[in-house]
DNA sequence: TCTGGGGTCCTAGGACCC
DNA sequence: TCTGGGGTCCTAGGACCC
């Protein structure tokens, strides 16, 4: 079905500006108005930039080594990613929105869609400006809010607000759709990436307004069903509802680039155990079992001197599971299959695929006893690990003797800030 | 020297069946 | 000599998102 029945709904999108960089600045007010960047894992690429860093021409996804000169010359403040801090700030951000809006859909770490339909008796621009300023005051995180007839228009309005700071962070596109569509570049539309925008420009389609003039047949043919839905949304016909419920994950992945290259299978097996622990922990938290387990390994794709090798395989588990023991056993078989000697591996990952919820599992009657035993066993192990690890004194791990010490392979984090909000030893201190 | 991690949805095309 | 056709299911890979 292409569109859903609707009665003039109003959607909003709240999106924090440069979220990770803003989090760092929030706890370090001295950084305000300096260029700030946050790096990906392994201190690899830039994944968040303050406005000042953007002005220096630092690109999203740019590797750190390419901007070293700029960093020195302009004293750019560089941070490794501090995900515990960002996750906690994200929680506060969405909780704040919950106070002001009847229905929100948490779309990502720094974005929520909001349902404004029942608030239309208010001046929406005024109301949203008030919310935006409250977030700024409470969290020290700047954000923008876009308002529109559909999610796609709300998204676009949000970008418009970001591009026009003089609007004060809020743009209401209701009744001004044509103006919005004519004044945004095509690549800013939600659902149009590199490939499609290049294709459209070749066809002389430069703005969303140009795009909605095309006929449905042409759009369906070239942009497929997803593209047609997107165009309908741009025309003001909603195809996507606000989804407030917590959707079940279908897959879950744990993967890391290594700080140094790893060659021996013994070392990879040890790291694999660390990954499987994390994976089992995630599945347990999500109350899900994996139907398939997959493993991939790859060498450094940027190293032109060494041959690039990448391989992956998946394997069906005899019965869906979240158990470290079972996941590891199967993942290890795969690893042995795809491992090739004399390769300098730079990244590995494990994937749990086709997840099913624990409650919906149709259990084999004859297997049920074993099942519950395995599950209890795994839960006990995880709880014990958690207990000891939380205590902070020593770190215990599953089958410690077979794990590789973290300092030998762990991703680099040379520029880490403190866990200001989630670790009692690292909370900020106010001097009065 | 140094290049992230975690997701979703869709489709083309192969395998297989009758 | 003529060499079907339609359906389903599965999977790899592409494109997108943050």
């Amino acid at each position: 079905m292409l569109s859903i029945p609707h009665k003039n709904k109003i959607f909003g999108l709240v999106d924090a500006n440069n979220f990770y960089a803003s989090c760092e600045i929030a706890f370090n007010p001295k950084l305000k108005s300096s260029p700030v960047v946050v790096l990906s894992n392994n201190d690899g690429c830039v994944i968040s930039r303050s406005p000042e860093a953007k002005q220096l021409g630092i690109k999203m996804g740019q590797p750190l080594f390419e901007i070293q000169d700029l960093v020195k010359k302009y004293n750019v403040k560089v941070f490794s990613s501090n995900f515990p801090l960002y996750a906690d700030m994200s929680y506060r951000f969405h909780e704040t929105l919950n106070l002001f809006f009847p229905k929100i859909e948490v779309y990502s770490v720094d974005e929520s869609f909001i349902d404004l339909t029942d608030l239309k008796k208010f001046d929406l621009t005024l109301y949203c400006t008030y919310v935006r300023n409250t977030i700024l005051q409470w969290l020290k995180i700047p954000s923008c809010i876009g308002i529109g007839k559909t999610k796609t228009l709300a998204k676009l309005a949000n970008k418009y607000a970001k591009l026009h700071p003089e609007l004060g962070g809020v743009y209401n596109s209701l009744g001004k759709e044509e103006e919005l569509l004519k004044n945004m570049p095509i690549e800013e539309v939600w659902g149009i990436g590199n490939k499609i925008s290049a294709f459209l420009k070749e066809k002389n389609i430069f703005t969303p307004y140009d795009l909605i003039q095309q006929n449905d047949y042409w759009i369906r043919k070239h942009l497929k069903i997803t593209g047609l839905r997107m165009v309908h949304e741009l025309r003001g016909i909603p195809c996507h509802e606000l989804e407030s419920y917590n959707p079940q994950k279908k897959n879950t992945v744990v993967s890391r680039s290594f700080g140094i290259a790893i060659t021996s299978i013994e070392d990879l097996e040890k790291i694999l155990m660390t990954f499987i622990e994390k994976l089992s922990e995630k599945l347990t938290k999500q109350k899900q079992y994996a139907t398939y387990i997959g493993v991939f390994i790859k060498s450094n794709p940027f190293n032109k001197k060494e041959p690039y090798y990448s391989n992956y395989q998946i394997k069906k588990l005899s019965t869906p599971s979240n158990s470290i023991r079972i996941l590891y056993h199967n993942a290890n078989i795969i690893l042995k299959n795809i491992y090739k000697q004399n390769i300098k591996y730079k990244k590995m990952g494990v994937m749990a695929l086709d997840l099913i919820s624990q409650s919906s599992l149709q259990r084999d009657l004859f297997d049920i006893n074993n099942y519950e035993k395995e599950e209890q066993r795994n839960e006990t192990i995880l709880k014990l690990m958690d207990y000891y690890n939380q205590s902070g004194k020593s770190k215990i791990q599953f089958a410690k003797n077979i794990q590789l010490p973290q300092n030998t392979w762990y991703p680099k984090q040379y520029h880490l800030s403190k866990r200001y909000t989630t670790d009692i030893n690292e909370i900020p201190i106010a001097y009065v």
Side-chain angles (χ1 to χ4, degrees):
Chain A
M1 197 168 64
L2 195 58
S3 62
I4 47 173
H6 64 286
K7 263 194 238 161
N8 300 328
K9 294 218 163 213
I10 306 172
F11 296 89
L13 179 81
V14 193
D15 189 333
N17 303 353
N18 336 307
F19 185 59
Y20 297 163
S22 296
C23 288
E24 297 293 348
I25 296 166
F27 287 93
N28 227 321
K30 279 184 198 159
L31 298 177
K32 233 179 183 171
S33 73
S34 355
V36 173
V37 299
V38 175
L39 303 174
S40 63
N41 254 324
N42 214 17
D43 287 351
C45 310
V46 172
I47 55 171
S48 184
R49 308 157 293 159
S50 71
E52 293 77 12
K54 286 178 191 170
Q55 265 180 8
L56 290 178
I58 297 172
K59 297 270 177 297
M60 187 70 179
Q62 199 167 14
L64 175 61
F65 69 86
E66 280 182 16
I67 58 165
Q68 286 297 10
D69 291 348
L70 281 176
V71 169
K72 260 190 203 149
K73 190 167 170 197
Y74 296 100
N75 194 18
V76 177
K77 307 291 194 258
V78 176
F79 291 92
S80 301
S81 36
N82 183 347
F83 291 115
L85 175 69
Y86 310 148
D88 187 59
M89 291 298 278
S90 168
Y91 173 77
R92 293 167 192 232
F93 177 74
H94 296 300
E95 279 303 289
T96 307
L97 294 178
N98 264 322
L99 294 176
F100 290 99
F101 301 105
K103 212 167 131 197
I104 81 168
E105 174 193 340
V106 175
Y107 178 67
S108 80
V109 61
D110 66 341
E111 284 176 71
S112 267
F113 285 103
I114 51 181
D115 186 348
L116 295 171
T117 314
D118 294 335
L119 296 173
K120 61 181 162 215
K121 52 179 182 277
F122 300 112
D123 179 331
L124 290 177
T125 309
L126 213 59
Y127 188 83
C128 288
T129 304
Y130 177 73
V131 174
R132 183 201 173 265
N133 292 341
T134 306
I135 295 170
L136 185 62
Q137 193 186 351
W138 290 358
L139 303 183
K140 310 292 175 214
I141 299 279
S143 60
C144 286
I145 305 182
I147 301 164
K149 283 184 186 170
T150 65
K151 281 175 146 185
T152 307
L153 285 169
K155 266 269 200 193
L156 200 63
N158 180 286
K159 296 262 174 134
Y160 191 84
K162 285 217 162 93
L163 290 174
H164 296 88
E166 70 278 6
L167 294 171
V170 177
Y171 185 69
N172 182 348
S173 72
L174 296 175
K176 292 181 284 186
E177 286 82 6
E178 195 173 314
E179 181 189 329
L180 176 66
L181 295 174
K182 279 182 172 165
N183 285 297
M184 290 296 277
I186 191 77
E187 64 268 21
E188 295 292 343
V189 176
W190 187 36
I192 294 185
N194 281 338
K195 285 275 157 67
I196 294 177
S197 71
F199 167 80
L200 291 175
K201 284 175 185 171
E202 217 169 90
K203 305 283 180 205
N204 284 322
I205 295 168
F206 295 102
T207 68
Y209 185 79
D210 296 337
L211 181 60
I212 66 169
Q213 309 308 314
Q214 309 301 314
N215 71 56
D216 285 7
Y217 175 79
W218 187 90
I219 292 160
R220 177 74 174 81
K221 183 175 166 202
H222 292 104
L223 306 186
K224 314 297 169 194
I225 188 71
T226 6
L228 188 53
R229 268 186 215 128
M230 175 190 73
V231 170
H232 280 229
E233 286 240 334
L234 287 174
R235 289 176 184 151
I237 304 158
C239 299
H240 303 294
E241 262 294 7
L242 208 68
E243 290 165 28
S244 288
Y245 64 92
N246 221 349
Q248 290 274 309
K249 283 214 167 85
K250 297 180 178 172
N251 308 305
T252 288
V253 176
V254 173
S255 78
R256 285 290 174 282
S257 295
F258 308 141
I260 56 156
I262 302 285
T263 309
S264 85
I265 185 146
E266 290 79 18
D267 286 350
L268 287 176
E269 281 175 340
K270 291 171 183 174
I271 298 168
L272 183 68
M273 176 54 88
T274 315
F275 286 13
I276 292 286
E277 265 177 20
K278 266 226 161 64
L279 191 66
S280 168
E281 214 177 283
K282 279 187 174 180
L283 292 177
T284 307
K285 208 174 269 174
Q286 291 161 204
K287 298 193 194 319
Q288 288 178 309
Y289 293 128
T291 313
Y292 293 84
I293 178 100
V295 179
F296 67 83
I297 44 179
K298 42 182 83 174
S299 62
N300 185 351
F302 301 101
N303 188 343
K304 300 287 176 243
K305 291 175 197 156
E306 307 268 346
Y308 177 59
Y309 176 73
S310 152
N311 202 351
Y312 104 108
Q313 229 177 55
I314 63 173
K315 187 172 186 289
K316 191 167 186 174
L317 301 174
S318 58
T319 164
S321 175
N322 65 355
S323 139
I324 294 182
R325 215 172 55 81
I326 292 172
L327 296 177
Y328 182 74
H329 173 75
N330 287 279
N332 194 245
I333 293 173
I334 299 176
L335 177 61
K336 287 193 161 86
N337 280 340
I338 58 179
Y339 173 79
K340 220 169 91 177
Q341 281 189 332
N342 301 321
I343 301 288
K344 291 178 180 157
Y345 294 100
K346 197 67 174 119
K347 184 173 182 177
M348 177 164 67
V350 289
M351 303 175 283
L353 307 167
D354 277 13
L355 304 184
I356 55 171
S357 80
Q358 290 180 3
S359 53
S360 75
L361 179 64
Q362 296 291 313
R363 286 177 183 178
D364 183 334
L365 200 56
F366 300 103
D367 202 33
I368 193 157
N369 282 331
N370 286 333
Y371 221 104
E372 282 179 356
K373 255 188 231 157
E374 183 63 42
E375 195 173 289
Q376 275 171 12
R377 188 169 160 185
N378 197 54
E379 264 173 33
T380 311
I381 291 168
L382 282 172
K383 270 188 197 142
L384 271 173
M385 283 175 37
D386 206 43
Y387 175 76
Y388 281 103
N389 295 342
Q390 292 286 320
S391 74
K393 290 268 188 309
S394 65
K395 174 106 176 131
I396 81 150
Q397 298 166 324
F398 189 75
K400 188 170 185 169
N401 55 339
I402 86 154
Q403 296 209 1
L404 199 63
Q406 287 187 355
N407 57 14
T408 59
W409 66 275
Y410 225 56
K412 287 173 282 191
Q413 283 194 306
Y414 295 146
H415 312 277
L416 200 54
S417 56
K418 291 182 176 169
R419 287 162 291 181
Y420 300 105
T421 61
T422 55
D423 190 315
I424 189 71
N425 298 311
E426 301 186 2
I427 57 170
I429 300 167
Y431 297 96
V432 186

